[in-house]
Amino acid sequence: MGLLVALWAAVLAHALARAGVLHAGEQPLSRIAIRRATAAVAGSASVKARPAVLGLEGQSSDWMVVEFSHPNPSNDDWIGVFSPSGFSSEICQPENWEDLPPFLCTAPIKFQYANFTNHAYNKSGKGSLKLQLINQRADFAFALFSGGLSAPKLISVSNKVTFENPKAPVYPRLAQGKSWNENRCVQDGSNNYIGRFNATTHVVVGGGGASLSPFRATVPYWSFFRDLDFGFVKLTALNNSFLLFEYKKSRDGNVYDHFTISRDYRDILACSIDNCPRTTVAV
Ligand SMILES: *[C@@H]1O[C@H](CO)[C@@H](O)[C@H](O)[C@H]1NC(C)=O
Ligand SMILES: *[C@@H]1O[C@H](CO)[C@@H](O)[C@H](O)[C@H]1NC(C)=O
Ligand SMILES: *[C@@H]1O[C@H](CO)[C@@H](O)[C@H](O)[C@H]1NC(C)=O
Ligand SMILES: *[C@@H]1O[C@H](CO)[C@@H](O)[C@H](O)[C@H]1NC(C)=O
């Protein structure tokens, strides 16, 4: 009965969402106006993270402590967790010549108000937070901001923290590419990928920001189509064997690039020992 009720609630929520009655819950991280961040680095402020190495027993998540002090504290101060740790000018270049430091190229993956555990933080300027981190295949750094979430001012950045084995296999997750020549598994450009595949098909679709940045002049060999415009991708599963990928421009909704992937579908879950082929077409 519990399951039936849960299913019905899901169906109802879906129906309401379709009717435009429900609004998607606000993702707390979306309140951080990281693009408006300014630099206000204070030498007398500090952020320290320990231990420097996590997951010493092979865990893919671990607890750690961030301690911070700020000579000019307020209830607006907050701590952001960044991964990879070089989230600012270490690895980021300004996108436009008008941009001023700090050049933050990633937004925090987690945050908490500096007064969270010490309610007297706004007087003492001292606080600490206990945080659980998940192995993200990249190291971490912690930053103290003042100015609240809407006008963040970068005050201080911590030492780096890493998992002992950051590349340990964990569960699948969406990855953020960092360098321009990543994702080199492409063998050849086609509008119709069919038959046996030698590797997983990856599609990286990115869009965001208020302005367009020109492409680099050199065209990497894996780049088959370029479009300097705002757009999005629609992925349609037509049946068990056939995926249609379409790139559309936001301005007119028309398709400007597309490809299909088709594979023989075999229900490998229906196999028992020795009555299925050793390999299937859908590798
Ligand atoms: C901590 O700061 C937040 C954000 O400014 C505020 O909403 C909250 O009331 C503060 N908590 C305490 C105990 O002062
Ligand atoms: C510190 O925070 C408390 C609780 O929010 C507030 O009552 C008090 O006025 C704040 N003090 C200062 C100096 O901002
Ligand atoms: C898979 O690898 C084989 C052998 O290297 C090659 O002949 C074939 O074209 C590859 N298939 C695809 C879809 O790239
Ligand atoms: C899947 O859909 C494609 C495109 O409509 C069609 O060509 C193909 O025959 C279909 N395959 C199966 C197994 O239904």
Side-chain angles (χ1 to χ4, degrees):
M1 195 59 196
L3 181 64
L4 193 65
V5 170
L7 275 177
W8 176 238
V11 168
L12 188 67
H14 185 66
L16 288 173
R18 280 179 66 104
V21 177
L22 290 184
H23 295 282
E26 189 191 38
Q27 155 61 252
L29 289 170
S30 71
R31 285 159 43 214
I32 303 176
I34 202 72
R35 66 194 175 283
R36 289 205 213 116
T38 53
V41 175
S44 48
S46 73
V47 186
K48 289 186 188 120
R50 66 182 158 80
V53 182
L54 305 171
L56 287 173
E57 281 152 32
Q59 320 90 298
S60 56
S61 71
D62 208 349
W63 288 91
M64 46 84 54
V65 172
V66 189
E67 284 171 333
F68 40 90
S69 73
H70 187 191
N72 192 14
S74 101
N75 278 343
D76 280 345
D77 294 359
W78 55 279
I79 293 284
V81 182
F82 290 84
S83 179
S85 65
F87 61 95
S88 61
S89 49
E90 276 177 57
I91 58 168
C92 307
Q93 301 293 318
E95 277 193 2
N96 298 304
W97 63 269
E98 310 109 46
D99 290 350
L100 296 171
F103 308 122
L104 304 184
C105 51
T106 64
I109 57 171
K110 200 164 180 159
F111 78 96
Q112 187 53 270
Y113 283 108
N115 66 7
F116 186 69
T117 35
N118 179 9
H119 292 176
Y121 168 80
N122 65 350
K123 288 192 203 79
S124 69
K126 300 212 180 304
S128 74
L129 290 173
K130 195 174 175 211
L131 298 166
Q132 188 180 28
L133 297 182
I134 297 171
N135 187 357
Q136 289 245 115
R137 302 188 153 232
D139 57 0
F140 298 84
F142 306 82
L144 174 65
F145 288 89
S146 65
L149 303 181
S150 55
K153 295 187 192 65
L154 181 62
I155 304 288
S156 184
V157 178
S158 76
N159 52 304
K160 294 171 186 178
V161 161
T162 183
F163 272 82
E164 189 186 38
N165 183 4
K167 305 286 187 230
V170 285
Y171 39 86
R173 65 177 73 248
L174 289 176
Q176 188 176 34
K178 283 197 301 294
S179 50
W180 64 276
N181 59 354
E182 275 180 4
N183 305 308
R184 288 170 156 261
C185 296
V186 179
Q187 295 210 346
D188 105 65
S190 164
N191 279 341
N192 185 22
Y193 294 90
I194 190 165
R196 187 174 170 143
F197 283 61
N198 297 328
T200 310
T201 307
H202 292 265
V203 176
V204 180
V205 179
S211 60
L212 297 166
S213 305
F215 290 107
R216 283 164 205 260
T218 45
V219 182
Y221 73 90
W222 44 259
S223 174
F224 299 116
F225 179 79
R226 292 175 153 201
D227 186 36
L228 189 67
D229 202 350
F230 296 98
F232 59 95
V233 154
K234 183 180 175 189
L235 190 62
T236 313
L238 292 166
N239 54 36
N240 281 340
S241 308
F242 210 86
L243 270 182
L244 171 65
F245 172 107
E246 294 169 301
Y247 164 70
K248 299 181 167 209
K249 276 190 195 290
S250 303
R251 68 177 74 237
D252 60 12
N254 290 335
V255 177
Y256 285 81
D257 190 28
H258 78 280
F259 64 81
T260 57
I261 299 177
S262 61
R263 292 180 175 187
D264 262 357
Y265 175 75
R266 293 185 196 170
D267 188 359
I268 50 168
L269 293 178
C271 299
S272 60
I273 296 169
D274 287 342
N275 73 351
C276 272
R278 290 181 86 79
T279 56
T280 66
V281 176
V283 206

